[in-house]
Amino acid sequence: MKSRSQEQSLSDSRELDRSHDPLTGSVADEGELSTVCYRPEGLDRLVQQTNFSKKELQILYRGFKNECPSGVVNEETFKSIYSQFFPQGDSSTYAHFLFDAFDTQNNGTVSFEDFVVSLSIILRGSTADKLGWAFNLYDINKDGCITREEMTDIMNSIYDMMGKYTYPCIKDSDAKEHVDNFFQKMDKNKDGVVTIDEFLETCQKDENIMQSMMMFDNVI
């Protein structure tokens, strides 16, 4: 006889992972279920961990599972999906940095939980949370500070992603100028690195950065 907690766990798994789809009433067949090697946390728990509703999480998971039937995405698949949004350039390096930011468990895969927790921060988190996530993206080796080398790698990857045929045209010196401006503005004590405190303080005082953060509010 199943305990109440076991029954609830099974219900949560079916509710989110689509073996039973409350939106359509459909039930996954055995062939589809056999491809699933990872099942997400219960739906109620993800509602508590994110700023998404149950319905939004179900819609997001349906799209996630369509692209990643196994329930997780590895870096190569992530790069392949991301490249579709930037066909005019090479997004592979930037996608690598982005994947590392989503891979919060550092296990080489991004689960649905990893994905929606980060997406929740990017789209609906507080200003400090959004800036903290951006800092983590730029801090490539995750040592708590951003170096010139890291920011240069990030900027080069962004320009590679945009492609050569942009308007206005990208000059070879643009990445260096962007990094120089970044450090002139952010590196308050001129020690050659930008800390999270310096990053937050500068960004929160910059009207343009704050407006760009607000653009993501309630996108979904």
Side-chain angles (χ1 to χ4, degrees):
M1 181 176 181
K2 293 180 180 177
S3 68
R4 186 179 184 85
S5 62
Q6 288 176 319
E7 290 176 349
Q8 182 61 44
S9 176
L10 179 59
S11 174
D12 283 344
S13 177
R14 285 176 174 170
E15 185 177 14
L16 183 56
D17 137 301
R18 324 307 302 162
S19 58
H20 172 262
D21 186 343
L23 293 179
T24 64
S26 62
V27 177
D29 59 30
E30 292 182 3
E32 181 182 357
L33 288 175
S34 67
T35 67
V36 177
C37 65
Y38 178 86
R39 291 175 183 269
E41 298 280 354
L43 186 55
D44 288 336
R45 183 178 298 181
L46 286 178
V47 170
Q48 294 175 353
Q49 291 177 337
T50 68
N51 293 312
F52 296 126
S53 67
K54 280 189 177 184
K55 184 174 181 180
E56 289 170 330
L57 286 167
Q58 289 167 340
I59 293 170
L60 286 168
Y61 188 70
R62 177 177 291 176
F64 186 90
K65 193 175 176 184
N66 282 342
E67 293 290 344
C68 313
S70 67
V72 295
V73 56
N74 61 27
E75 184 171 341
E76 289 307 309
T77 302
F78 185 88
K79 286 180 178 179
S80 177
I81 295 171
Y82 200 74
S83 68
Q84 298 173 30
F85 298 99
F86 300 95
Q88 76 279 12
D90 179 3
S91 64
S92 59
T93 303
Y94 186 78
H96 165 71
F97 297 143
L98 198 59
F99 181 86
D100 281 350
F102 275 99
D103 180 16
T104 57
Q105 304 299 318
N106 298 316
N107 60 4
T109 61
V110 172
S111 67
F112 181 67
E113 290 95 325
D114 295 332
F115 173 69
V116 291
V117 168
S118 288
L119 193 65
S120 175
I121 293 171
I122 296 167
L123 297 181
R124 298 186 181 171
S126 67
T127 297
D129 287 342
K130 290 178 182 179
L131 291 173
W133 197 91
F135 182 90
N136 183 62
L137 171 64
Y138 301 152
D139 178 16
I140 295 174
N141 67 358
K142 314 305 180 194
D143 67 349
C145 62
I146 302 171
T147 65
R148 279 185 171 272
E149 291 76 12
E150 287 174 324
M151 201 62 205
T152 299
D153 288 344
I154 290 288
M155 290 312 306
N156 284 331
S157 72
I158 291 174
Y159 286 132
D160 287 344
M161 181 171 63
M162 293 169 62
K164 297 180 179 180
Y165 304 104
T166 59
Y167 183 85
C169 294
I170 297 173
K171 303 188 295 291
D172 292 339
S173 60
D174 284 350
K176 182 180 184 303
E177 290 178 7
H178 191 109
V179 173
D180 288 342
N181 290 336
F182 177 88
F183 272 83
Q184 183 178 358
K185 183 181 294 187
M186 300 273 184
D187 185 11
K188 298 296 186 182
N189 61 0
K190 307 303 178 186
D191 64 349
V193 298
V194 174
T195 65
I196 181 64
D197 291 335
E198 289 174 323
F199 185 80
L200 291 175
E201 179 185 353
T202 305
C203 289
Q204 288 173 339
K205 292 179 180 178
D206 190 304
E207 184 178 345
N208 291 330
I209 293 176
M210 289 299 94
Q211 288 179 347
S212 67
M213 289 289 170
M214 292 174 64
M215 287 173 57
F216 292 104
D217 288 351
N218 297 313
V219 169
I220 295 182

